[in-house]
Amino acid sequence: MERTFIAVKPDGVQRGLVGTILKKFEEKGYKLVGLKLLQVSQELAQTHYGEHKGKPFFDGLVKFITSGPVVAFVVEGNDVVVTARKMIGATKPSDSAIGTIRGDYGVDIGRNIIHGSDSPESAEREISLWFKPEELTEWTPTISTWIYE
Ligand code: DAT
Ligand code: MG
């Protein structure tokens, strides 16, 4: 089973979208294995977005992600990395299909509500960056046999 890292960014938390977003992942059938609300440090923000260091939007991105609480979570399921990205939508909200999280709730690329890992390798890196192993919980949802054949 694959896992991915999701974060509701400060704009999503401020706008009261945490429950709505969690509900989408729960209703899809993915298993929640880690969840926390935190104030992101400069160091965590810069490491998390390390691939964008040097780009014109980097400083603003770090300032934004550290500007208020973030809700970080890990979900598990078949092909969850690529499917979560589809649920999230394109980086630029105006390119995101209606029905996706960014397509439904976002307007500006710099306030696009949510982060999701872009590959299984990124997911592994981001999960271990944001969560200690003991913060992730192994459990079997009783509905598993109605989600998977
Ligand atoms: P994604 O979050 O879809 O993986 P990304 O990794 O390319 O997108 O960029 C990380 C975040 O940085 C993105 O969610 C919003 C911000 N960002 C990206 N490109 C930007 C741009 N051209 N101007 C402003 N912010 C940008
Ligand atoms: Mg990215």
PDB file of all heavy atoms in Angstrom, residues 9 49 51-52 55 57 61 85 89-91 102 109-110 112 114-116 118, ligand 1:
ATOM      1  N   LYS A   9      -2.709  24.165   3.813  1.00  0.00           N
ATOM      2  CA  LYS A   9      -1.857  25.342   4.026  1.00  0.00           C
ATOM      3  C   LYS A   9      -2.592  26.372   4.907  1.00  0.00           C
ATOM      4  O   LYS A   9      -3.798  26.245   5.145  1.00  0.00           O
ATOM      5  CB  LYS A   9      -1.483  25.930   2.660  1.00  0.00           C
ATOM      6  CG  LYS A   9      -0.664  24.962   1.781  1.00  0.00           C
ATOM      7  CD  LYS A   9      -0.321  25.610   0.444  1.00  0.00           C
ATOM      8  CE  LYS A   9       0.441  24.658  -0.460  1.00  0.00           C
ATOM      9  NZ  LYS A   9       0.802  25.290  -1.762  1.00  0.00           N
ATOM     10  N   TYR A  49      10.248  22.762   0.813  1.00  0.00           N
ATOM     11  CA  TYR A  49      10.206  23.358  -0.528  1.00  0.00           C
ATOM     12  C   TYR A  49      11.605  23.548  -1.130  1.00  0.00           C
ATOM     13  O   TYR A  49      11.791  24.392  -2.015  1.00  0.00           O
ATOM     14  CB  TYR A  49       9.453  24.692  -0.475  1.00  0.00           C
ATOM     15  CG  TYR A  49       7.943  24.526  -0.448  1.00  0.00           C
ATOM     16  CD1 TYR A  49       7.175  25.109   0.558  1.00  0.00           C
ATOM     17  CD2 TYR A  49       7.267  23.811  -1.446  1.00  0.00           C
ATOM     18  CE1 TYR A  49       5.783  24.973   0.576  1.00  0.00           C
ATOM     19  CE2 TYR A  49       5.881  23.669  -1.426  1.00  0.00           C
ATOM     20  CZ  TYR A  49       5.144  24.254  -0.420  1.00  0.00           C
ATOM     21  OH  TYR A  49       3.773  24.117  -0.408  1.00  0.00           O
ATOM     22  N   GLU A  51      13.298  22.113  -3.377  1.00  0.00           N
ATOM     23  CA  GLU A  51      13.432  22.046  -4.847  1.00  0.00           C
ATOM     24  C   GLU A  51      13.165  23.412  -5.496  1.00  0.00           C
ATOM     25  O   GLU A  51      13.538  23.633  -6.656  1.00  0.00           O
ATOM     26  CB  GLU A  51      12.467  20.999  -5.429  1.00  0.00           C
ATOM     27  CG  GLU A  51      11.006  21.365  -5.242  1.00  0.00           C
ATOM     28  CD  GLU A  51      10.022  20.397  -5.919  1.00  0.00           C
ATOM     29  OE1 GLU A  51      10.099  20.223  -7.138  1.00  0.00           O
ATOM     30  OE2 GLU A  51       9.168  19.843  -5.197  1.00  0.00           O
ATOM     31  N   HIS A  52      12.490  24.319  -4.774  1.00  0.00           N
ATOM     32  CA  HIS A  52      12.147  25.626  -5.348  1.00  0.00           C
ATOM     33  C   HIS A  52      13.099  26.747  -4.904  1.00  0.00           C
ATOM     34  O   HIS A  52      12.872  27.911  -5.253  1.00  0.00           O
ATOM     35  CB  HIS A  52      10.708  25.992  -4.992  1.00  0.00           C
ATOM     36  CG  HIS A  52       9.700  25.029  -5.533  1.00  0.00           C
ATOM     37  ND1 HIS A  52       9.592  24.750  -6.873  1.00  0.00           N
ATOM     38  CD2 HIS A  52       8.774  24.242  -4.913  1.00  0.00           C
ATOM     39  CE1 HIS A  52       8.632  23.847  -7.061  1.00  0.00           C
ATOM     40  NE2 HIS A  52       8.129  23.517  -5.882  1.00  0.00           N
ATOM     41  N   LYS A  55      14.060  30.193  -6.814  1.00  0.00           N
ATOM     42  CA  LYS A  55      13.004  30.680  -7.719  1.00  0.00           C
ATOM     43  C   LYS A  55      12.413  31.979  -7.157  1.00  0.00           C
ATOM     44  O   LYS A  55      12.446  32.211  -5.945  1.00  0.00           O
ATOM     45  CB  LYS A  55      11.907  29.616  -7.885  1.00  0.00           C
ATOM     46  CG  LYS A  55      12.416  28.366  -8.599  1.00  0.00           C
ATOM     47  CD  LYS A  55      11.318  27.341  -8.826  1.00  0.00           C
ATOM     48  CE  LYS A  55      11.907  26.063  -9.408  1.00  0.00           C
ATOM     49  NZ  LYS A  55      10.929  24.959  -9.455  1.00  0.00           N
ATOM     50  N   PHE A  57       9.510  32.976  -6.474  1.00  0.00           N
ATOM     51  CA  PHE A  57       8.414  32.883  -5.497  1.00  0.00           C
ATOM     52  C   PHE A  57       8.830  32.206  -4.192  1.00  0.00           C
ATOM     53  O   PHE A  57       8.005  32.088  -3.279  1.00  0.00           O
ATOM     54  CB  PHE A  57       7.214  32.161  -6.123  1.00  0.00           C
ATOM     55  CG  PHE A  57       7.481  30.740  -6.575  1.00  0.00           C
ATOM     56  CD1 PHE A  57       7.407  29.669  -5.686  1.00  0.00           C
ATOM     57  CD2 PHE A  57       7.816  30.476  -7.906  1.00  0.00           C
ATOM     58  CE1 PHE A  57       7.645  28.370  -6.107  1.00  0.00           C
ATOM     59  CE2 PHE A  57       8.063  29.174  -8.338  1.00  0.00           C
ATOM     60  CZ  PHE A  57       7.977  28.125  -7.432  1.00  0.00           C
ATOM     61  N   LEU A  61       6.766  32.043  -0.667  1.00  0.00           N
ATOM     62  CA  LEU A  61       6.179  30.736  -0.361  1.00  0.00           C
ATOM     63  C   LEU A  61       6.514  30.327   1.074  1.00  0.00           C
ATOM     64  O   LEU A  61       5.638  29.871   1.820  1.00  0.00           O
ATOM     65  CB  LEU A  61       6.727  29.711  -1.370  1.00  0.00           C
ATOM     66  CG  LEU A  61       6.276  28.263  -1.249  1.00  0.00           C
ATOM     67  CD1 LEU A  61       4.756  28.142  -1.407  1.00  0.00           C
ATOM     68  CD2 LEU A  61       6.978  27.414  -2.331  1.00  0.00           C
ATOM     69  N   ARG A  85      -3.118  13.797  -6.075  1.00  0.00           N
ATOM     70  CA  ARG A  85      -2.785  14.957  -6.916  1.00  0.00           C
ATOM     71  C   ARG A  85      -3.964  15.313  -7.838  1.00  0.00           C
ATOM     72  O   ARG A  85      -4.224  16.482  -8.099  1.00  0.00           O
ATOM     73  CB  ARG A  85      -1.521  14.674  -7.755  1.00  0.00           C
ATOM     74  CG  ARG A  85      -0.236  14.597  -6.959  1.00  0.00           C
ATOM     75  CD  ARG A  85       0.316  15.946  -6.551  1.00  0.00           C
ATOM     76  NE  ARG A  85       0.782  16.729  -7.670  1.00  0.00           N
ATOM     77  CZ  ARG A  85       1.548  17.820  -7.536  1.00  0.00           C
ATOM     78  NH1 ARG A  85       1.933  18.248  -6.327  1.00  0.00           N
ATOM     79  NH2 ARG A  85       1.935  18.496  -8.578  1.00  0.00           N
ATOM     80  N   GLY A  89      -5.863  18.927  -7.826  1.00  0.00           N
ATOM     81  CA  GLY A  89      -5.933  19.769  -9.022  1.00  0.00           C
ATOM     82  C   GLY A  89      -4.590  20.405  -9.356  1.00  0.00           C
ATOM     83  O   GLY A  89      -3.603  20.214  -8.656  1.00  0.00           O
ATOM     84  N   ALA A  90      -4.572  21.178 -10.424  1.00  0.00           N
ATOM     85  CA  ALA A  90      -3.341  21.798 -10.917  1.00  0.00           C
ATOM     86  C   ALA A  90      -2.833  22.861  -9.943  1.00  0.00           C
ATOM     87  O   ALA A  90      -3.607  23.422  -9.158  1.00  0.00           O
ATOM     88  CB  ALA A  90      -3.592  22.426 -12.283  1.00  0.00           C
ATOM     89  N   THR A  91      -1.527  23.144 -10.027  1.00  0.00           N
ATOM     90  CA  THR A  91      -0.896  24.119  -9.132  1.00  0.00           C
ATOM     91  C   THR A  91      -1.602  25.469  -9.196  1.00  0.00           C
ATOM     92  O   THR A  91      -1.843  26.110  -8.173  1.00  0.00           O
ATOM     93  CB  THR A  91       0.594  24.283  -9.528  1.00  0.00           C
ATOM     94  OG1 THR A  91       1.193  22.988  -9.521  1.00  0.00           O
ATOM     95  CG2 THR A  91       1.330  25.197  -8.565  1.00  0.00           C
ATOM     96  N   ARG A 102      -8.396  22.546  -5.394  1.00  0.00           N
ATOM     97  CA  ARG A 102      -7.953  23.886  -5.824  1.00  0.00           C
ATOM     98  C   ARG A 102      -8.944  24.503  -6.806  1.00  0.00           C
ATOM     99  O   ARG A 102      -9.163  25.723  -6.797  1.00  0.00           O
ATOM    100  CB  ARG A 102      -6.554  23.805  -6.438  1.00  0.00           C
ATOM    101  CG  ARG A 102      -5.455  23.567  -5.396  1.00  0.00           C
ATOM    102  CD  ARG A 102      -4.142  23.223  -6.062  1.00  0.00           C
ATOM    103  NE  ARG A 102      -3.016  23.158  -5.130  1.00  0.00           N
ATOM    104  CZ  ARG A 102      -1.826  22.665  -5.441  1.00  0.00           C
ATOM    105  NH1 ARG A 102      -1.606  22.183  -6.661  1.00  0.00           N
ATOM    106  NH2 ARG A 102      -0.844  22.635  -4.559  1.00  0.00           N
ATOM    107  N   ILE A 109      -2.513  31.370  -7.315  1.00  0.00           N
ATOM    108  CA  ILE A 109      -1.481  30.327  -7.195  1.00  0.00           C
ATOM    109  C   ILE A 109      -0.753  30.402  -5.843  1.00  0.00           C
ATOM    110  O   ILE A 109      -0.343  29.381  -5.299  1.00  0.00           O
ATOM    111  CB  ILE A 109      -0.483  30.391  -8.393  1.00  0.00           C
ATOM    112  CG1 ILE A 109       0.410  29.137  -8.421  1.00  0.00           C
ATOM    113  CG2 ILE A 109       0.364  31.665  -8.350  1.00  0.00           C
ATOM    114  CD1 ILE A 109       1.210  28.967  -9.698  1.00  0.00           C
ATOM    115  N   GLY A 110      -0.643  31.594  -5.310  1.00  0.00           N
ATOM    116  CA  GLY A 110       0.040  31.775  -4.023  1.00  0.00           C
ATOM    117  C   GLY A 110      -0.844  31.495  -2.815  1.00  0.00           C
ATOM    118  O   GLY A 110      -0.417  31.638  -1.669  1.00  0.00           O
ATOM    119  N   ASN A 112      -3.129  28.478  -2.756  1.00  0.00           N
ATOM    120  CA  ASN A 112      -3.806  27.337  -3.411  1.00  0.00           C
ATOM    121  C   ASN A 112      -4.175  26.213  -2.443  1.00  0.00           C
ATOM    122  O   ASN A 112      -4.284  25.051  -2.833  1.00  0.00           O
ATOM    123  CB  ASN A 112      -3.024  26.854  -4.644  1.00  0.00           C
ATOM    124  CG  ASN A 112      -1.667  26.277  -4.311  1.00  0.00           C
ATOM    125  OD1 ASN A 112      -1.290  26.168  -3.136  1.00  0.00           O
ATOM    126  ND2 ASN A 112      -0.922  25.889  -5.328  1.00  0.00           N
ATOM    127  N   ILE A 114      -3.735  23.774  -0.529  1.00  0.00           N
ATOM    128  CA  ILE A 114      -3.327  22.411  -0.137  1.00  0.00           C
ATOM    129  C   ILE A 114      -2.048  21.979  -0.857  1.00  0.00           C
ATOM    130  O   ILE A 114      -1.798  22.388  -2.000  1.00  0.00           O
ATOM    131  CB  ILE A 114      -4.503  21.434  -0.427  1.00  0.00           C
ATOM    132  CG1 ILE A 114      -4.184  19.996  -0.001  1.00  0.00           C
ATOM    133  CG2 ILE A 114      -4.949  21.490  -1.883  1.00  0.00           C
ATOM    134  CD1 ILE A 114      -5.407  19.075   0.025  1.00  0.00           C
ATOM    135  N   HIS A 115      -1.270  21.175  -0.168  1.00  0.00           N
ATOM    136  CA  HIS A 115      -0.091  20.543  -0.758  1.00  0.00           C
ATOM    137  C   HIS A 115      -0.312  19.040  -0.819  1.00  0.00           C
ATOM    138  O   HIS A 115      -0.891  18.458   0.095  1.00  0.00           O
ATOM    139  CB  HIS A 115       1.155  20.813   0.108  1.00  0.00           C
ATOM    140  CG  HIS A 115       2.319  19.937  -0.279  1.00  0.00           C
ATOM    141  ND1 HIS A 115       3.168  20.259  -1.313  1.00  0.00           N
ATOM    142  CD2 HIS A 115       2.729  18.721   0.188  1.00  0.00           C
ATOM    143  CE1 HIS A 115       4.068  19.279  -1.452  1.00  0.00           C
ATOM    144  NE2 HIS A 115       3.822  18.344  -0.548  1.00  0.00           N
ATOM    145  N   GLY A 116       0.197  18.405  -1.864  1.00  0.00           N
ATOM    146  CA  GLY A 116       0.233  16.945  -1.930  1.00  0.00           C
ATOM    147  C   GLY A 116       1.512  16.506  -2.606  1.00  0.00           C
ATOM    148  O   GLY A 116       1.937  17.121  -3.592  1.00  0.00           O
ATOM    149  N   ASP A 118       4.266  14.916  -4.965  1.00  0.00           N
ATOM    150  CA  ASP A 118       4.138  14.750  -6.416  1.00  0.00           C
ATOM    151  C   ASP A 118       4.621  13.408  -6.950  1.00  0.00           C
ATOM    152  O   ASP A 118       4.501  13.142  -8.152  1.00  0.00           O
ATOM    153  CB  ASP A 118       4.836  15.909  -7.146  1.00  0.00           C
ATOM    154  CG  ASP A 118       6.342  15.962  -6.898  1.00  0.00           C
ATOM    155  OD1 ASP A 118       6.901  15.027  -6.284  1.00  0.00           O
ATOM    156  OD2 ASP A 118       6.962  16.959  -7.324  1.00  0.00           O
TER     157      ASP A 118
HETATM  158  P1  DAT B   1       2.486  21.964  -6.380  1.00  0.00           P
HETATM  159  O1  DAT B   1       2.109  22.566  -5.046  1.00  0.00           O
HETATM  160  O2  DAT B   1       1.302  21.808  -7.275  1.00  0.00           O
HETATM  161  O3  DAT B   1       3.312  20.705  -6.233  1.00  0.00           O
HETATM  162  P2  DAT B   1       4.969  23.328  -7.093  1.00  0.00           P
HETATM  163  O4  DAT B   1       5.691  22.237  -6.376  1.00  0.00           O
HETATM  164  O5  DAT B   1       5.386  23.641  -8.487  1.00  0.00           O
HETATM  165  O6  DAT B   1       3.394  23.047  -7.127  1.00  0.00           O
HETATM  166  O7  DAT B   1       5.071  24.669  -6.254  1.00  0.00           O
HETATM  167  C1  DAT B   1       4.930  24.654  -4.848  1.00  0.00           C
HETATM  168  C2  DAT B   1       4.052  25.813  -4.451  1.00  0.00           C
HETATM  169  O8  DAT B   1       4.714  27.035  -4.754  1.00  0.00           O
HETATM  170  C3  DAT B   1       2.725  25.891  -5.173  1.00  0.00           C
HETATM  171  O9  DAT B   1       1.727  25.106  -4.564  1.00  0.00           O
HETATM  172  C4  DAT B   1       2.411  27.356  -5.110  1.00  0.00           C
HETATM  173  C5  DAT B   1       3.773  28.022  -5.167  1.00  0.00           C
HETATM  174  N1  DAT B   1       4.112  28.403  -6.545  1.00  0.00           N
HETATM  175  C6  DAT B   1       4.505  27.612  -7.556  1.00  0.00           C
HETATM  176  N2  DAT B   1       4.720  28.291  -8.672  1.00  0.00           N
HETATM  177  C7  DAT B   1       4.464  29.588  -8.352  1.00  0.00           C
HETATM  178  C8  DAT B   1       4.491  30.810  -9.066  1.00  0.00           C
HETATM  179  N3  DAT B   1       4.844  30.850 -10.361  1.00  0.00           N
HETATM  180  N4  DAT B   1       4.152  31.939  -8.407  1.00  0.00           N
HETATM  181  C9  DAT B   1       3.791  31.920  -7.110  1.00  0.00           C
HETATM  182  N5  DAT B   1       3.739  30.798  -6.368  1.00  0.00           N
HETATM  183  C10 DAT B   1       4.069  29.660  -6.980  1.00  0.00           C
END
